[in-house]
Amino acid sequence: NENDLIRRYREVAQYSDCDNAIEDIINEAIIADEEKTSVEIILDDVKVSSSIKTKIREEFNNVLRILKFNERAHEIFRSWYVDGRLYYQILIDESRVKDGIVELRYIDPRKIRRIKNVKKQRTPQGVEVVQEVEEYYLYNDKGITEQTTHGVKLALDSVVYVPSGYVDPNTGMAMSYLHKAIKPVNQLKMIEDSLVIYRISRAPERRIFYVDVG
């Protein structure tokens, strides 16, 4: 399931060779430049007035400020790249709704799951018709498993979900770009372990000295 996959991805990311590769990828993706930002929003193809485009750009910069993107871009991108998904809860001050988003709070992907309840009703002809679809996010601080039913319900528009875009065609589950690295990392670990054991076991054989007496 998702929790096992995320745990496996994080274990793979801690391996030294894999960690170096991830750091190279992040350093290529996140530009550290005083004059140019790492990300920008392009609205060339959006058919709206220039005043609305200006408001969108201002709000985009506001979101970057709330995320502290200039200081934490490396950490955010790494979390997304390793886990293959990001969850943020949108917090709004209800007494001052016009101020917009106050805070974006990171949620561990192992503690939240999207739930879809479909209520069906059978017609007199014997055909099942979808009557109502209830969708929400379920958050549990102790972690979400397949059997978890208790937790805090969060509305769909109160949570930002950022998937990797890499989907398993069989299960439809979002996967990390580290998925292909799981097997090579495991093989490399086994080779290193077996090589150390082999060299330790063969070491006593090298303690023989051949003295030429001719």
Side-chain angles (χ1 to χ4, degrees):
N1 56 26
E2 280 190 20
N3 288 4
D4 294 334
L5 270 181
I6 292 169
R7 198 176 297 111
R8 180 72 62 84
Y9 295 147
R10 291 179 180 181
E11 288 172 3
V12 168
Q14 288 176 350
Y15 188 69
S16 57
D17 289 332
C18 199
D19 182 56
N20 291 336
I22 292 170
E23 287 296 323
D24 289 341
I25 291 167
I26 296 171
N27 290 334
E28 287 291 328
I30 304 297
I31 303 165
D33 194 346
E34 292 180 358
E35 298 178 0
K36 190 178 180 183
T37 56
S38 300
V39 290
E40 58 183 14
I41 189 166
I42 298 171
L43 302 170
D44 296 343
D45 296 332
V46 182
K47 295 179 181 179
V48 293
S49 63
S50 57
S51 61
I52 294 176
K53 286 184 180 180
T54 303
K55 289 181 179 179
I56 293 172
R57 289 193 185 95
E58 287 175 357
E59 192 58 35
F60 182 77
N61 292 329
N62 183 42
V63 169
L64 292 182
R65 181 186 59 78
I66 293 170
L67 282 173
K68 297 180 180 177
F69 195 80
N70 290 334
E71 295 89 30
R72 299 184 63 243
H74 186 280
E75 181 186 338
I76 293 169
F77 188 86
R78 185 184 174 88
S79 297
W80 173 82
Y81 190 83
V82 172
D83 294 344
R85 69 213 76 203
L86 275 180
Y87 287 97
Y88 279 97
Q89 184 185 6
I90 302 169
L91 297 177
I92 296 172
D93 187 355
E94 293 184 1
S95 60
R96 294 185 298 173
V97 179
K98 287 186 178 180
D99 291 351
I101 299 170
V102 177
E103 185 184 349
L104 287 168
R105 189 170 293 172
Y106 173 75
I107 301 175
D108 192 315
R110 294 175 301 172
K111 298 179 180 179
I112 191 169
R113 183 75 50 83
R114 184 168 178 163
I115 307 294
K116 188 176 183 180
N117 290 333
V118 181
K119 293 181 181 178
K120 295 182 179 180
Q121 191 175 20
R122 192 177 293 275
T123 61
Q125 290 78 22
V127 181
E128 282 192 344
V129 180
V130 176
Q131 188 179 19
E132 186 183 354
V133 178
E134 184 187 13
E135 286 188 88
Y136 57 89
Y137 286 101
L138 187 68
Y139 173 79
N140 192 320
D141 193 48
K142 295 180 181 177
I144 297 275
T145 61
E146 299 298 327
Q147 291 77 32
T148 304
T149 54
H150 300 289
V152 180
K153 285 186 179 182
L154 300 174
L156 288 183
D157 57 356
S158 68
V159 176
V160 178
Y161 172 50
V162 189
S164 63
Y166 178 40
V167 180
D168 185 354
N170 296 320
T171 60
M173 192 184 298
M175 296 192 299
S176 166
Y177 288 104
L178 281 183
H179 195 80
K180 294 175 183 175
I182 292 174
K183 188 177 179 182
V185 166
N186 289 339
Q187 288 175 331
L188 192 58
K189 280 182 180 178
M190 286 190 291
I191 289 171
E192 288 177 346
D193 293 344
S194 61
L195 199 64
V196 169
I197 293 168
Y198 172 76
R199 285 178 176 170
I200 290 172
S201 63
R202 285 291 301 274
E205 295 179 16
R206 302 208 179 97
R207 297 274 180 256
I208 303 168
F209 296 96
Y210 293 98
V211 180
D212 185 15
V213 294

